Amino acid sequence: MKTIKTKICIFISISLLVLLGMVATVVQAQEFMQVKDVREGMTGYAKTVVHGHKIETFPVEILGVMKNSGPSGDLILARFSGPLIERTGGIAQGMSGSPVYIQGKLLGAIAYGWAFSNSRLGMITPITDMVKLWDTPTSEEIRPFNAREESLVPIATPLMVSGFDASSLDWMTKKLPQYHFLPVDAPTSEIDERTFTLEPGSAVAAAFVNGDMKMGAIGTVTYVDKDRVVAFGHPFLKKGSTHYFMHNAYIFTVVNNLNSSFKLGSIGAEIGNIDQDRGAGIAGVQHSLATGIPVEIRVDDEDTGVSLVKRVKIIEDNELTPILASTAIYNTVNKAIDRVGGGTVTLQYTIRSTTGETHTVSRHNMYYSSDNINEKSIDELYNVVDLLKHNEFVEYPVLDINMHMRISQAKKIARIVDATAAPAVVSPGDEVFLNITLHPYRGKDVHQIMSFTVPKDQPLGEMILEIRGGGVMPLPYLIERQKYNLTDEILARLRKYKSFADLKKKIEEEEANNDVVVEILEKDVSMVPDHEKGPGKVKINGKDTPTKSEDLVKPNKHKLKEDNKKEAKSMAQTPYIVVGDGQISLQVVRPEERNAYLARHRQKKMAKAIMKEEMESTTEKSTSEKSEKGKKEDTSHQEKVIDVSNYR
């Protein structure tokens, strides 16, 4: 019995020794080499993947230490060699993050190349700097800074993409020139949906977009501690605390070109999140996915009957979210209509925030372009999401975005050609009925019946009603804008919001291009400050006009008037983009005077609009002609509007 117990004890002791030896081996394999211990001539090896998921090694020779040369401290200069380097043509983009081992200790990650060296020389970021990223507070612990910073990346950053077309990617890169993105259309692998646990030397992707479309950069894992990962050895976009998606990556090959080689790979399964992007590299956690922003896009081609629905998830970022959402929508439009050219788009979208329903924004609109309806279809959403993400009142984390578009080659434009109003003599609080004639492009005239309520505090005397399309600037404002050279940039600077609720209201209640608008044309409303009234007294009604007549869009058009009182306005939706405007002159009198006038002039109670073309032709007449024909023109004008001079 004692013998059996002795044997069991010996077996347990041996087992413990074996386990302790294994633990010691693991600890030893993860030991770091300090920069102070690095010497010229030391040799070692590095790990990376150049095909599939197989990790391979290649020789490394230390040439020296470059003091304070990196964004996070020292860099180590090294030479790389061996058959793998010969096959790849040197250190390729995508190898950044490859772990380097000297004397069995982890030294750091290959991070930078050396110019004019055929990519055989490069710099290593010390692992001791990289693991500090794990101790850096995340965005949940740091209040985000809302400025539009430009984190410049000095070399091209290859982006592996799938599901995007060239024109949508070109639009995106033009919006983000500071990052020098180089989109590469990558194939997909049959094992992309399988998950693989990361280890030093594994290929890893930091993605912006996943789902039906994918976009991200591929690099190499440097070190793994349980679920924590560091990679790249250099910044990706140097965004600091971030929310990239961590993905497996499958490497097809290394592409050699004259500028620099790069790994061609596919973005595989999502396996975690990347929450740090700083000078020493990127860092994140496996097995904990980033929430991201779901974006659902539906595009209906009314000409072909094709409907296309795409669903993606994009990262949460003040700068990138508006651009990534718009790029995904642009790409879906291109795929759905399968053409480039003019047309009309009708859109409806909703943006929800994680902060609750009170921050949900919904809008509809219509746009026409003679040459590129594909790109015009995303302008408004980009501007609105960008405005929400950079608003000065509250943080706006986006819960999801839903966009529905209907696109046709038809030119769905209607011009206001006539309008009448009755009665022509009114009192404060009265309702005016309008019959507005619209002439659709190559179609028959249609009538839009509307009503307008005279404000109860409307001053007595002449009241001019402006009838216009939702995207049209009234002629007096247009003349003033040209007179003072008021650019879109100047108007944007003058635009002010009182609160987020005010901002949301302005966005949602902003006129659409397919609206018919009836409002009072105030005589004292100006687009420029009245310095005599002091600051805060500026009343602005800024409406952007299209850059050319064929391109009827209304970007960034928000009311700039002070909301001291509720604006008197009536709007009606139409199935057309409405252009043109005109004015109707009405007389506001006391109720008893109105009643007396209507009793005496039952057959003359309708006012007729003076259209924009008539005003412009009148303006073009010379002073001499006006002086000679002034009386005749005045009589004609009164007959066209209505003679209410004898309403008593």
PDB file of all heavy atoms in Angstrom, residues 287-321:
ATOM      1  N   HIS A 287     -12.553  38.288 -29.427  1.00  0.00           N
ATOM      2  CA  HIS A 287     -13.764  37.708 -28.850  1.00  0.00           C
ATOM      3  C   HIS A 287     -14.678  38.743 -28.205  1.00  0.00           C
ATOM      4  O   HIS A 287     -15.521  38.398 -27.378  1.00  0.00           O
ATOM      5  CB  HIS A 287     -13.410  36.616 -27.829  1.00  0.00           C
ATOM      6  CG  HIS A 287     -12.412  35.622 -28.346  1.00  0.00           C
ATOM      7  ND1 HIS A 287     -11.231  35.331 -27.677  1.00  0.00           N
ATOM      8  CD2 HIS A 287     -12.405  34.890 -29.468  1.00  0.00           C
ATOM      9  CE1 HIS A 287     -10.544  34.443 -28.384  1.00  0.00           C
ATOM     10  NE2 HIS A 287     -11.235  34.159 -29.475  1.00  0.00           N
ATOM     11  N   SER A 288     -14.529  40.006 -28.563  1.00  0.00           N
ATOM     12  CA  SER A 288     -15.419  41.066 -28.096  1.00  0.00           C
ATOM     13  C   SER A 288     -15.645  42.020 -29.268  1.00  0.00           C
ATOM     14  O   SER A 288     -14.766  42.822 -29.595  1.00  0.00           O
ATOM     15  CB  SER A 288     -14.810  41.814 -26.905  1.00  0.00           C
ATOM     16  OG  SER A 288     -15.635  42.901 -26.511  1.00  0.00           O
ATOM     17  N   LEU A 289     -16.787  41.901 -29.915  1.00  0.00           N
ATOM     18  CA  LEU A 289     -17.022  42.629 -31.157  1.00  0.00           C
ATOM     19  C   LEU A 289     -17.417  44.078 -30.898  1.00  0.00           C
ATOM     20  O   LEU A 289     -18.087  44.388 -29.911  1.00  0.00           O
ATOM     21  CB  LEU A 289     -18.114  41.942 -31.975  1.00  0.00           C
ATOM     22  CG  LEU A 289     -17.902  40.464 -32.311  1.00  0.00           C
ATOM     23  CD1 LEU A 289     -19.009  39.980 -33.245  1.00  0.00           C
ATOM     24  CD2 LEU A 289     -16.529  40.222 -32.930  1.00  0.00           C
ATOM     25  N   ALA A 290     -16.988  44.954 -31.808  1.00  0.00           N
ATOM     26  CA  ALA A 290     -17.393  46.360 -31.754  1.00  0.00           C
ATOM     27  C   ALA A 290     -18.837  46.479 -32.227  1.00  0.00           C
ATOM     28  O   ALA A 290     -19.271  45.775 -33.147  1.00  0.00           O
ATOM     29  CB  ALA A 290     -16.469  47.204 -32.623  1.00  0.00           C
ATOM     30  N   THR A 291     -19.591  47.378 -31.604  1.00  0.00           N
ATOM     31  CA  THR A 291     -21.006  47.532 -31.948  1.00  0.00           C
ATOM     32  C   THR A 291     -21.182  48.016 -33.383  1.00  0.00           C
ATOM     33  O   THR A 291     -21.920  47.440 -34.167  1.00  0.00           O
ATOM     34  CB  THR A 291     -21.686  48.517 -30.983  1.00  0.00           C
ATOM     35  OG1 THR A 291     -21.492  48.067 -29.638  1.00  0.00           O
ATOM     36  CG2 THR A 291     -23.172  48.620 -31.273  1.00  0.00           C
ATOM     37  N   GLY A 292     -20.495  49.077 -33.740  1.00  0.00           N
ATOM     38  CA  GLY A 292     -20.615  49.615 -35.085  1.00  0.00           C
ATOM     39  C   GLY A 292     -21.985  50.218 -35.361  1.00  0.00           C
ATOM     40  O   GLY A 292     -22.857  50.274 -34.480  1.00  0.00           O
ATOM     41  N   ILE A 293     -22.177  50.682 -36.588  1.00  0.00           N
ATOM     42  CA  ILE A 293     -23.427  51.325 -37.005  1.00  0.00           C
ATOM     43  C   ILE A 293     -24.018  50.540 -38.170  1.00  0.00           C
ATOM     44  O   ILE A 293     -23.468  50.556 -39.277  1.00  0.00           O
ATOM     45  CB  ILE A 293     -23.191  52.778 -37.441  1.00  0.00           C
ATOM     46  CG1 ILE A 293     -22.543  53.581 -36.310  1.00  0.00           C
ATOM     47  CG2 ILE A 293     -24.486  53.428 -37.898  1.00  0.00           C
ATOM     48  CD1 ILE A 293     -22.052  54.946 -36.741  1.00  0.00           C
ATOM     49  N   PRO A 294     -25.135  49.848 -37.980  1.00  0.00           N
ATOM     50  CA  PRO A 294     -25.790  49.166 -39.107  1.00  0.00           C
ATOM     51  C   PRO A 294     -26.368  50.197 -40.085  1.00  0.00           C
ATOM     52  O   PRO A 294     -27.024  51.162 -39.676  1.00  0.00           O
ATOM     53  CB  PRO A 294     -26.895  48.349 -38.443  1.00  0.00           C
ATOM     54  CG  PRO A 294     -26.525  48.285 -36.991  1.00  0.00           C
ATOM     55  CD  PRO A 294     -25.785  49.559 -36.704  1.00  0.00           C
ATOM     56  N   VAL A 295     -26.110  49.983 -41.367  1.00  0.00           N
ATOM     57  CA  VAL A 295     -26.652  50.850 -42.420  1.00  0.00           C
ATOM     58  C   VAL A 295     -27.397  49.963 -43.405  1.00  0.00           C
ATOM     59  O   VAL A 295     -26.816  49.038 -43.981  1.00  0.00           O
ATOM     60  CB  VAL A 295     -25.541  51.632 -43.153  1.00  0.00           C
ATOM     61  CG1 VAL A 295     -26.148  52.531 -44.226  1.00  0.00           C
ATOM     62  CG2 VAL A 295     -24.717  52.451 -42.173  1.00  0.00           C
ATOM     63  N   GLU A 296     -28.686  50.234 -43.589  1.00  0.00           N
ATOM     64  CA  GLU A 296     -29.493  49.484 -44.563  1.00  0.00           C
ATOM     65  C   GLU A 296     -29.854  50.399 -45.709  1.00  0.00           C
ATOM     66  O   GLU A 296     -30.369  51.505 -45.506  1.00  0.00           O
ATOM     67  CB  GLU A 296     -30.753  48.914 -43.911  1.00  0.00           C
ATOM     68  CG  GLU A 296     -31.589  48.082 -44.886  1.00  0.00           C
ATOM     69  CD  GLU A 296     -32.743  47.372 -44.222  1.00  0.00           C
ATOM     70  OE1 GLU A 296     -32.520  46.705 -43.178  1.00  0.00           O
ATOM     71  OE2 GLU A 296     -33.874  47.479 -44.736  1.00  0.00           O
ATOM     72  N   ILE A 297     -29.594  49.933 -46.922  1.00  0.00           N
ATOM     73  CA  ILE A 297     -29.775  50.755 -48.120  1.00  0.00           C
ATOM     74  C   ILE A 297     -30.673  49.998 -49.099  1.00  0.00           C
ATOM     75  O   ILE A 297     -30.408  48.832 -49.417  1.00  0.00           O
ATOM     76  CB  ILE A 297     -28.426  51.052 -48.804  1.00  0.00           C
ATOM     77  CG1 ILE A 297     -27.409  51.578 -47.788  1.00  0.00           C
ATOM     78  CG2 ILE A 297     -28.607  52.018 -49.958  1.00  0.00           C
ATOM     79  CD1 ILE A 297     -25.981  51.239 -48.116  1.00  0.00           C
ATOM     80  N   ARG A 298     -31.703  50.661 -49.560  1.00  0.00           N
ATOM     81  CA  ARG A 298     -32.550  50.097 -50.620  1.00  0.00           C
ATOM     82  C   ARG A 298     -32.622  51.089 -51.766  1.00  0.00           C
ATOM     83  O   ARG A 298     -32.945  52.262 -51.568  1.00  0.00           O
ATOM     84  CB  ARG A 298     -33.958  49.782 -50.107  1.00  0.00           C
ATOM     85  CG  ARG A 298     -34.880  49.319 -51.232  1.00  0.00           C
ATOM     86  CD  ARG A 298     -36.213  48.823 -50.750  1.00  0.00           C
ATOM     87  NE  ARG A 298     -37.063  48.460 -51.885  1.00  0.00           N
ATOM     88  CZ  ARG A 298     -38.207  47.790 -51.788  1.00  0.00           C
ATOM     89  NH1 ARG A 298     -38.636  47.398 -50.593  1.00  0.00           N
ATOM     90  NH2 ARG A 298     -38.921  47.518 -52.864  1.00  0.00           N
ATOM     91  N   VAL A 299     -32.343  50.598 -52.969  1.00  0.00           N
ATOM     92  CA  VAL A 299     -32.405  51.426 -54.171  1.00  0.00           C
ATOM     93  C   VAL A 299     -33.335  50.753 -55.164  1.00  0.00           C
ATOM     94  O   VAL A 299     -33.142  49.580 -55.516  1.00  0.00           O
ATOM     95  CB  VAL A 299     -31.012  51.622 -54.802  1.00  0.00           C
ATOM     96  CG1 VAL A 299     -31.125  52.480 -56.060  1.00  0.00           C
ATOM     97  CG2 VAL A 299     -30.052  52.267 -53.808  1.00  0.00           C
ATOM     98  N   ASP A 300     -34.364  51.486 -55.613  1.00  0.00           N
ATOM     99  CA  ASP A 300     -35.305  51.002 -56.621  1.00  0.00           C
ATOM    100  C   ASP A 300     -35.080  51.768 -57.918  1.00  0.00           C
ATOM    101  O   ASP A 300     -35.164  53.003 -57.936  1.00  0.00           O
ATOM    102  CB  ASP A 300     -36.754  51.205 -56.160  1.00  0.00           C
ATOM    103  CG  ASP A 300     -37.071  50.432 -54.897  1.00  0.00           C
ATOM    104  OD1 ASP A 300     -36.518  49.325 -54.724  1.00  0.00           O
ATOM    105  OD2 ASP A 300     -37.870  50.931 -54.071  1.00  0.00           O
ATOM    106  N   ASP A 301     -34.786  51.040 -58.986  1.00  0.00           N
ATOM    107  CA  ASP A 301     -34.655  51.642 -60.310  1.00  0.00           C
ATOM    108  C   ASP A 301     -36.029  51.607 -60.961  1.00  0.00           C
ATOM    109  O   ASP A 301     -36.520  50.542 -61.355  1.00  0.00           O
ATOM    110  CB  ASP A 301     -33.632  50.878 -61.148  1.00  0.00           C
ATOM    111  CG  ASP A 301     -33.318  51.581 -62.468  1.00  0.00           C
ATOM    112  OD1 ASP A 301     -34.199  52.303 -62.979  1.00  0.00           O
ATOM    113  OD2 ASP A 301     -32.202  51.397 -62.992  1.00  0.00           O
ATOM    114  N   GLU A 302     -36.686  52.762 -61.073  1.00  0.00           N
ATOM    115  CA  GLU A 302     -38.038  52.819 -61.610  1.00  0.00           C
ATOM    116  C   GLU A 302     -38.089  52.502 -63.094  1.00  0.00           C
ATOM    117  O   GLU A 302     -39.141  52.146 -63.620  1.00  0.00           O
ATOM    118  CB  GLU A 302     -38.635  54.204 -61.345  1.00  0.00           C
ATOM    119  CG  GLU A 302     -38.836  54.500 -59.862  1.00  0.00           C
ATOM    120  CD  GLU A 302     -39.447  55.861 -59.612  1.00  0.00           C
ATOM    121  OE1 GLU A 302     -39.327  56.738 -60.505  1.00  0.00           O
ATOM    122  OE2 GLU A 302     -40.049  56.069 -58.542  1.00  0.00           O
ATOM    123  N   ASP A 303     -36.961  52.619 -63.784  1.00  0.00           N
ATOM    124  CA  ASP A 303     -36.939  52.347 -65.227  1.00  0.00           C
ATOM    125  C   ASP A 303     -36.831  50.857 -65.532  1.00  0.00           C
ATOM    126  O   ASP A 303     -37.467  50.359 -66.461  1.00  0.00           O
ATOM    127  CB  ASP A 303     -35.761  53.094 -65.872  1.00  0.00           C
ATOM    128  CG  ASP A 303     -35.838  54.590 -65.648  1.00  0.00           C
ATOM    129  OD1 ASP A 303     -36.954  55.135 -65.700  1.00  0.00           O
ATOM    130  OD2 ASP A 303     -34.791  55.210 -65.403  1.00  0.00           O
ATOM    131  N   THR A 304     -36.031  50.135 -64.760  1.00  0.00           N
ATOM    132  CA  THR A 304     -35.796  48.716 -65.041  1.00  0.00           C
ATOM    133  C   THR A 304     -36.550  47.782 -64.100  1.00  0.00           C
ATOM    134  O   THR A 304     -36.638  46.583 -64.354  1.00  0.00           O
ATOM    135  CB  THR A 304     -34.298  48.392 -64.934  1.00  0.00           C
ATOM    136  OG1 THR A 304     -33.862  48.614 -63.577  1.00  0.00           O
ATOM    137  CG2 THR A 304     -33.483  49.279 -65.866  1.00  0.00           C
ATOM    138  N   GLY A 305     -37.080  48.324 -63.005  1.00  0.00           N
ATOM    139  CA  GLY A 305     -37.763  47.488 -62.034  1.00  0.00           C
ATOM    140  C   GLY A 305     -36.832  46.774 -61.069  1.00  0.00           C
ATOM    141  O   GLY A 305     -37.277  45.982 -60.232  1.00  0.00           O
ATOM    142  N   VAL A 306     -35.531  47.054 -61.157  1.00  0.00           N
ATOM    143  CA  VAL A 306     -34.552  46.412 -60.278  1.00  0.00           C
ATOM    144  C   VAL A 306     -34.600  47.043 -58.888  1.00  0.00           C
ATOM    145  O   VAL A 306     -34.631  48.270 -58.755  1.00  0.00           O
ATOM    146  CB  VAL A 306     -33.123  46.531 -60.866  1.00  0.00           C
ATOM    147  CG1 VAL A 306     -32.084  46.069 -59.843  1.00  0.00           C
ATOM    148  CG2 VAL A 306     -33.006  45.721 -62.140  1.00  0.00           C
ATOM    149  N   SER A 307     -34.611  46.202 -57.859  1.00  0.00           N
ATOM    150  CA  SER A 307     -34.506  46.660 -56.475  1.00  0.00           C
ATOM    151  C   SER A 307     -33.301  45.983 -55.838  1.00  0.00           C
ATOM    152  O   SER A 307     -33.129  44.770 -55.972  1.00  0.00           O
ATOM    153  CB  SER A 307     -35.772  46.322 -55.683  1.00  0.00           C
ATOM    154  OG  SER A 307     -36.865  47.088 -56.137  1.00  0.00           O
ATOM    155  N   LEU A 308     -32.483  46.757 -55.166  1.00  0.00           N
ATOM    156  CA  LEU A 308     -31.275  46.217 -54.550  1.00  0.00           C
ATOM    157  C   LEU A 308     -31.222  46.664 -53.096  1.00  0.00           C
ATOM    158  O   LEU A 308     -31.376  47.852 -52.790  1.00  0.00           O
ATOM    159  CB  LEU A 308     -30.032  46.716 -55.294  1.00  0.00           C
ATOM    160  CG  LEU A 308     -28.679  46.166 -54.823  1.00  0.00           C
ATOM    161  CD1 LEU A 308     -28.609  44.655 -54.989  1.00  0.00           C
ATOM    162  CD2 LEU A 308     -27.537  46.835 -55.580  1.00  0.00           C
ATOM    163  N   VAL A 309     -31.012  45.703 -52.195  1.00  0.00           N
ATOM    164  CA  VAL A 309     -30.893  45.990 -50.771  1.00  0.00           C
ATOM    165  C   VAL A 309     -29.517  45.544 -50.300  1.00  0.00           C
ATOM    166  O   VAL A 309     -29.105  44.409 -50.558  1.00  0.00           O
ATOM    167  CB  VAL A 309     -31.988  45.270 -49.952  1.00  0.00           C
ATOM    168  CG1 VAL A 309     -31.789  45.534 -48.458  1.00  0.00           C
ATOM    169  CG2 VAL A 309     -33.371  45.723 -50.393  1.00  0.00           C
ATOM    170  N   LYS A 310     -28.787  46.430 -49.628  1.00  0.00           N
ATOM    171  CA  LYS A 310     -27.479  46.119 -49.072  1.00  0.00           C
ATOM    172  C   LYS A 310     -27.464  46.494 -47.589  1.00  0.00           C
ATOM    173  O   LYS A 310     -28.037  47.509 -47.189  1.00  0.00           O
ATOM    174  CB  LYS A 310     -26.369  46.896 -49.805  1.00  0.00           C
ATOM    175  CG  LYS A 310     -26.171  46.479 -51.257  1.00  0.00           C
ATOM    176  CD  LYS A 310     -25.559  45.093 -51.365  1.00  0.00           C
ATOM    177  CE  LYS A 310     -25.269  44.723 -52.810  1.00  0.00           C
ATOM    178  NZ  LYS A 310     -24.700  43.357 -52.926  1.00  0.00           N
ATOM    179  N   ARG A 311     -26.774  45.665 -46.826  1.00  0.00           N
ATOM    180  CA  ARG A 311     -26.635  45.923 -45.387  1.00  0.00           C
ATOM    181  C   ARG A 311     -25.159  45.861 -45.021  1.00  0.00           C
ATOM    182  O   ARG A 311     -24.473  44.876 -45.328  1.00  0.00           O
ATOM    183  CB  ARG A 311     -27.432  44.908 -44.576  1.00  0.00           C
ATOM    184  CG  ARG A 311     -28.933  44.973 -44.812  1.00  0.00           C
ATOM    185  CD  ARG A 311     -29.668  43.905 -44.036  1.00  0.00           C
ATOM    186  NE  ARG A 311     -31.118  43.996 -44.239  1.00  0.00           N
ATOM    187  CZ  ARG A 311     -31.761  43.380 -45.238  1.00  0.00           C
ATOM    188  NH1 ARG A 311     -31.065  42.627 -46.104  1.00  0.00           N
ATOM    189  NH2 ARG A 311     -33.067  43.514 -45.362  1.00  0.00           N
ATOM    190  N   VAL A 312     -24.686  46.894 -44.364  1.00  0.00           N
ATOM    191  CA  VAL A 312     -23.294  46.948 -43.923  1.00  0.00           C
ATOM    192  C   VAL A 312     -23.250  47.453 -42.488  1.00  0.00           C
ATOM    193  O   VAL A 312     -24.242  47.961 -41.955  1.00  0.00           O
ATOM    194  CB  VAL A 312     -22.435  47.874 -44.826  1.00  0.00           C
ATOM    195  CG1 VAL A 312     -22.372  47.346 -46.242  1.00  0.00           C
ATOM    196  CG2 VAL A 312     -22.966  49.304 -44.803  1.00  0.00           C
ATOM    197  N   LYS A 313     -22.085  47.305 -41.881  1.00  0.00           N
ATOM    198  CA  LYS A 313     -21.816  47.895 -40.571  1.00  0.00           C
ATOM    199  C   LYS A 313     -20.573  48.754 -40.717  1.00  0.00           C
ATOM    200  O   LYS A 313     -19.558  48.299 -41.253  1.00  0.00           O
ATOM    201  CB  LYS A 313     -21.605  46.804 -39.517  1.00  0.00           C
ATOM    202  CG  LYS A 313     -21.449  47.356 -38.093  1.00  0.00           C
ATOM    203  CD  LYS A 313     -21.443  46.245 -37.055  1.00  0.00           C
ATOM    204  CE  LYS A 313     -20.134  45.481 -37.025  1.00  0.00           C
ATOM    205  NZ  LYS A 313     -20.016  44.587 -35.846  1.00  0.00           N
ATOM    206  N   ILE A 314     -20.660  50.002 -40.269  1.00  0.00           N
ATOM    207  CA  ILE A 314     -19.540  50.931 -40.385  1.00  0.00           C
ATOM    208  C   ILE A 314     -19.099  51.357 -38.995  1.00  0.00           C
ATOM    209  O   ILE A 314     -19.856  51.254 -38.028  1.00  0.00           O
ATOM    210  CB  ILE A 314     -19.894  52.163 -41.246  1.00  0.00           C
ATOM    211  CG1 ILE A 314     -21.023  52.970 -40.584  1.00  0.00           C
ATOM    212  CG2 ILE A 314     -20.284  51.734 -42.654  1.00  0.00           C
ATOM    213  CD1 ILE A 314     -21.363  54.258 -41.322  1.00  0.00           C
ATOM    214  N   ILE A 315     -17.874  51.868 -38.894  1.00  0.00           N
ATOM    215  CA  ILE A 315     -17.346  52.249 -37.586  1.00  0.00           C
ATOM    216  C   ILE A 315     -17.937  53.575 -37.128  1.00  0.00           C
ATOM    217  O   ILE A 315     -18.392  54.393 -37.932  1.00  0.00           O
ATOM    218  CB  ILE A 315     -15.807  52.346 -37.597  1.00  0.00           C
ATOM    219  CG1 ILE A 315     -15.335  53.448 -38.553  1.00  0.00           C
ATOM    220  CG2 ILE A 315     -15.185  51.012 -37.938  1.00  0.00           C
ATOM    221  CD1 ILE A 315     -13.862  53.766 -38.419  1.00  0.00           C
ATOM    222  N   GLU A 316     -17.922  53.775 -35.830  1.00  0.00           N
ATOM    223  CA  GLU A 316     -18.353  55.031 -35.212  1.00  0.00           C
ATOM    224  C   GLU A 316     -17.159  55.970 -35.132  1.00  0.00           C
ATOM    225  O   GLU A 316     -16.186  55.703 -34.424  1.00  0.00           O
ATOM    226  CB  GLU A 316     -18.905  54.764 -33.812  1.00  0.00           C
ATOM    227  CG  GLU A 316     -19.378  55.991 -33.074  1.00  0.00           C
ATOM    228  CD  GLU A 316     -20.768  56.421 -33.479  1.00  0.00           C
ATOM    229  OE1 GLU A 316     -21.690  55.597 -33.405  1.00  0.00           O
ATOM    230  OE2 GLU A 316     -20.915  57.591 -33.875  1.00  0.00           O
ATOM    231  N   ASP A 317     -17.212  57.076 -35.882  1.00  0.00           N
ATOM    232  CA  ASP A 317     -16.108  58.038 -35.891  1.00  0.00           C
ATOM    233  C   ASP A 317     -16.637  59.350 -36.456  1.00  0.00           C
ATOM    234  O   ASP A 317     -17.291  59.362 -37.509  1.00  0.00           O
ATOM    235  CB  ASP A 317     -14.948  57.522 -36.748  1.00  0.00           C
ATOM    236  CG  ASP A 317     -13.776  58.479 -36.786  1.00  0.00           C
ATOM    237  OD1 ASP A 317     -12.949  58.434 -35.861  1.00  0.00           O
ATOM    238  OD2 ASP A 317     -13.688  59.276 -37.741  1.00  0.00           O
ATOM    239  N   ASN A 318     -16.385  60.451 -35.767  1.00  0.00           N
ATOM    240  CA  ASN A 318     -16.919  61.742 -36.193  1.00  0.00           C
ATOM    241  C   ASN A 318     -16.532  62.093 -37.625  1.00  0.00           C
ATOM    242  O   ASN A 318     -17.333  62.638 -38.386  1.00  0.00           O
ATOM    243  CB  ASN A 318     -16.446  62.850 -35.253  1.00  0.00           C
ATOM    244  CG  ASN A 318     -17.216  62.868 -33.945  1.00  0.00           C
ATOM    245  OD1 ASN A 318     -18.170  62.110 -33.770  1.00  0.00           O
ATOM    246  ND2 ASN A 318     -16.797  63.706 -33.019  1.00  0.00           N
ATOM    247  N   GLU A 319     -15.314  61.785 -38.002  1.00  0.00           N
ATOM    248  CA  GLU A 319     -14.837  62.133 -39.336  1.00  0.00           C
ATOM    249  C   GLU A 319     -15.246  61.100 -40.376  1.00  0.00           C
ATOM    250  O   GLU A 319     -15.694  61.446 -41.474  1.00  0.00           O
ATOM    251  CB  GLU A 319     -13.310  62.273 -39.322  1.00  0.00           C
ATOM    252  CG  GLU A 319     -12.723  62.590 -40.696  1.00  0.00           C
ATOM    253  CD  GLU A 319     -11.211  62.567 -40.687  1.00  0.00           C
ATOM    254  OE1 GLU A 319     -10.629  61.726 -39.981  1.00  0.00           O
ATOM    255  OE2 GLU A 319     -10.605  63.383 -41.403  1.00  0.00           O
ATOM    256  N   LEU A 320     -15.096  59.817 -40.053  1.00  0.00           N
ATOM    257  CA  LEU A 320     -15.261  58.765 -41.056  1.00  0.00           C
ATOM    258  C   LEU A 320     -16.699  58.303 -41.243  1.00  0.00           C
ATOM    259  O   LEU A 320     -17.069  57.893 -42.350  1.00  0.00           O
ATOM    260  CB  LEU A 320     -14.389  57.566 -40.689  1.00  0.00           C
ATOM    261  CG  LEU A 320     -12.870  57.805 -40.676  1.00  0.00           C
ATOM    262  CD1 LEU A 320     -12.137  56.534 -40.278  1.00  0.00           C
ATOM    263  CD2 LEU A 320     -12.390  58.288 -42.038  1.00  0.00           C
ATOM    264  N   THR A 321     -17.525  58.343 -40.214  1.00  0.00           N
ATOM    265  CA  THR A 321     -18.888  57.819 -40.325  1.00  0.00           C
ATOM    266  C   THR A 321     -19.681  58.452 -41.467  1.00  0.00           C
ATOM    267  O   THR A 321     -20.290  57.726 -42.267  1.00  0.00           O
ATOM    268  CB  THR A 321     -19.641  57.983 -38.985  1.00  0.00           C
ATOM    269  OG1 THR A 321     -19.008  57.170 -37.997  1.00  0.00           O
ATOM    270  CG2 THR A 321     -21.085  57.566 -39.119  1.00  0.00           C
TER     271      THR A 321
END
